[in-house]
Amino acid sequence: MGGGMTIVERTQVFLLPDLGEGLSEAEIVEWRVAVGDVVTVDQSVVEVETAKAVVDVPCPYAGRVVTLHGAAGEVRPVGQPLITIAPLDGGDEPAGHATYREEERAGSGNVLIGYGTGHGTATRRRRRPRLAVAPEPADAGPTGGTGAAAGAVSRDPAAPSAALVISPIVRRLAREHGVDLDTVRGTGPGGVIRRADVEAALTAPAARLAAVPDPQVGSAPAGDGDVIVALTGVRKVIADKLSRSRREIPEVTIWVDVDATGLLETRAAINAATPDAPVSILALLARICLSGLRRFPQLNARVDTEAQRIVQSAGVHLGIAAQTDRGLLVPVMRDAQRLTTAELAAELAATTAAARAGTLPPARLTGGTFTLNNYGVFGVDGSTPIINHPEAALLGIGRIVDKPWVVDGQLAVRKVTQLSLTFDHRVCDGGVAGGFLRHVADCVERPALLIAAV
């Protein structure tokens, strides 16, 4: 018994770390190791999905894996045990370590908890298949059939046509959008269905299925043809954050129409001079915002309600609202005021691309102090956006269109856009907010003013 106690005392338990501001849990996507494996310091041991991103989690301990706390598809709270490691004591490798099943050979090569490596120490309960309503053929009558199980996780030899799905994220995505996995062609090794395969199937009308009404969702029963979408993941985080913003922040929106002809001409001149480093309109607007925030730092702030104080940030951590397949994300460019205009343009392009690809770490999606939102890409002129809590302000840009405009007393056709500023009335009054918006508008109309201010 004394020896057993010694082993327990020597083990080190790695707790699920805080993966980003406001994230209290993460779902295990795939274990990179199995019980009995030897790991090194900072080796990635598990892939998890938070409400904001899919990330690999490195282990700070070296040794042999004793316990994996949780199975693929299970949600673990931050601060709870994730993996237990015991120091190496010269023992032999466990028997059967090189034995893999079909699911592992077909996957990425990483082992999922419960699929086994011959250790026999970890098990996974198979989920019951979830049936989805099959699409009704064009010549079908009022009754229709049902699709095959969408929740299968391995190929059954007795049913070779069953969908081969390893990732619980893929199963959940298919379930939420009503995609019959048996109709999806897997492009992964061995025919494994990946997330990209499900997303591609969403664009095919034949693959769209009506979601199964869940009587436990909501207080009112679902009617015929109603689509039930679970408020989970990114959608839930967005809903919670926007609701909190509206509850806590007394926001005000002001706006102004501006002649952006000069800004477009300036961009064209810059790009003609530096064709290898093109600058976008959004990058120029970001530069103008940075100039405005230097003049009006009251808007580069947040309200600490617990301490009853306003905190003005020393650096501008500029958030860029980006629409992605996973929802509206606001990736942050830290200390954006230190970047040149060309660097801003390059960082903007890289950041938005990474956000849409889902490769940004959670830390890049938090900590902003001011947000820039180009909703003009959706073909709209104006908006009264909700502030990205706990920030104090957000500048929105509408579409740039030809409109009649008076120039030097003469009517002309100019490139016109609408700028809107939503601000927290607790951090400043209308004079500061109006001064900032007017500075931005003046720089858009006369970019020479921006050069004079930098």
Side-chain angles (χ1 to χ4, degrees):
M1 181 176 293
M5 288 298 295
T6 301
I7 293 176
V8 172
E9 291 172 358
R10 291 174 59 199
T11 60
Q12 294 172 301
V13 179
F14 176 43
L15 308 181
L16 179 64
D18 183 356
L19 298 172
E21 180 181 327
L23 301 176
S24 60
E25 62 186 21
E27 179 177 331
I28 297 173
V29 176
E30 183 176 2
W31 284 103
R32 304 295 195 193
V33 297
V35 171
D37 284 355
V38 175
V39 298
T40 58
V41 173
D42 288 338
Q43 176 181 336
S44 175
V45 294
V46 66
E47 181 183 58
V48 302
E49 181 175 45
T50 70
K52 296 186 176 181
V54 177
V55 295
D56 280 317
V57 180
C59 179
Y61 307 128
R64 191 178 304 279
V65 178
V66 175
T67 308
L68 301 179
H69 300 276
E74 180 178 330
V75 175
R76 300 292 294 172
V78 168
Q80 293 299 308
L82 187 63
I83 188 171
T84 300
I85 305 294
L88 296 176
D89 54 6
D92 295 329
E93 291 292 326
H97 181 67
T99 303
Y100 295 89
R101 295 186 181 180
E102 177 185 354
E103 294 92 337
E104 297 155 356
R105 292 197 301 269
S108 62
N110 298 319
V111 181
L112 291 175
I113 173 69
Y115 281 84
T117 56
H119 302 166
T121 57
T123 60
R124 180 183 180 191
R125 182 181 66 185
R126 288 185 179 269
R127 297 180 179 177
R128 289 188 176 184
R130 181 185 180 96
L131 298 181
V133 178
E136 185 174 300
D139 57 350
T143 60
T146 57
V153 297
S154 63
R155 191 180 298 277
D156 184 351
S161 62
L164 181 57
V165 185
I166 288 180
S167 171
I169 305 303
V170 172
R171 292 196 301 274
R172 187 176 67 188
L173 181 66
R175 182 173 64 250
E176 291 178 352
H177 291 278
V179 174
D180 182 357
L181 288 171
D182 280 348
T183 68
V184 179
R185 177 180 176 272
T187 59
V192 170
I193 297 176
R194 296 172 167 172
R195 182 192 300 207
D197 300 326
V198 176
E199 291 173 344
L202 292 176
T203 63
R208 292 182 177 271
L209 307 180
V212 178
D214 188 345
Q216 297 180 353
V217 179
S219 57
D224 292 341
D226 288 352
V227 176
I228 306 301
V229 179
L231 196 59
T232 59
V234 175
R235 193 76 259 159
K236 184 177 186 301
V237 170
I238 294 173
D240 291 344
K241 194 162 190 177
L242 295 182
S243 297
R244 183 179 181 184
S245 179
R246 272 289 163 88
R247 285 195 307 269
E248 294 186 8
I249 299 177
E251 61 187 21
V252 179
T253 299
I254 56 177
W255 57 89
V256 62
D257 290 339
V258 296
D259 178 2
T261 306
L263 187 67
L264 292 174
E265 292 172 349
T266 299
R267 179 204 177 205
I270 292 174
N271 290 343
T274 58
D276 294 335
V279 171
S280 65
I281 288 294
L282 192 61
L284 293 178
L285 288 167
R287 170 58 61 207
I288 293 172
C289 282
L290 293 170
S291 172
L293 291 173
R294 185 170 60 181
R295 287 194 174 195
F296 302 94
Q298 299 94 324
L299 294 171
N300 189 49
R302 62 182 174 85
V303 175
D304 185 344
T305 54
E306 292 185 2
Q308 289 295 293
R309 62 181 183 177
I310 298 172
V311 181
Q312 291 185 10
S313 299
V316 180
H317 307 316
L318 187 63
I320 303 296
Q323 189 67 45
T324 74
D325 292 340
R326 303 180 68 236
L328 178 65
L329 301 180
V330 186
V332 176
M333 299 189 300
R334 301 193 183 281
D335 293 313
Q337 79 281 357
R338 298 180 180 178
L339 303 177
T340 66
T341 302
E343 291 171 340
L344 270 175
E347 183 64 18
L348 268 170
T351 298
T352 53
R356 293 189 176 102
T359 58
L360 282 178
R364 289 292 310 277
L365 298 170
T366 59
T369 60
F370 185 91
T371 293
L372 186 59
N373 185 2
N374 178 21
Y375 45 73
V377 296
F378 302 118
V380 298
D381 296 323
S383 171
T384 56
I386 299 176
I387 294 174
N388 186 29
H389 185 279
E391 298 171 18
L394 180 153
L395 182 76
I397 305 101
R399 61 176 180 160
I400 301 177
V401 295
D402 290 339
K403 285 187 177 181
W405 197 262
V406 176
V407 180
D408 298 329
Q410 300 294 320
L411 193 62
V413 176
R414 306 288 283 183
K415 300 292 186 180
V416 178
T417 187
Q418 185 181 95
L419 304 176
S420 63
L421 176 71
T422 299
F423 67 97
D424 186 341
H425 218 320
R426 296 174 298 178
V427 304
C428 68
D429 296 322
V432 169
F436 171 85
L437 185 58
R438 191 63 256 169
H439 174 77
V440 171
D442 290 344
C443 288
V444 169
E445 293 187 335
R446 293 177 291 168
L449 294 177
L450 175 62
I451 297 174
V454 297

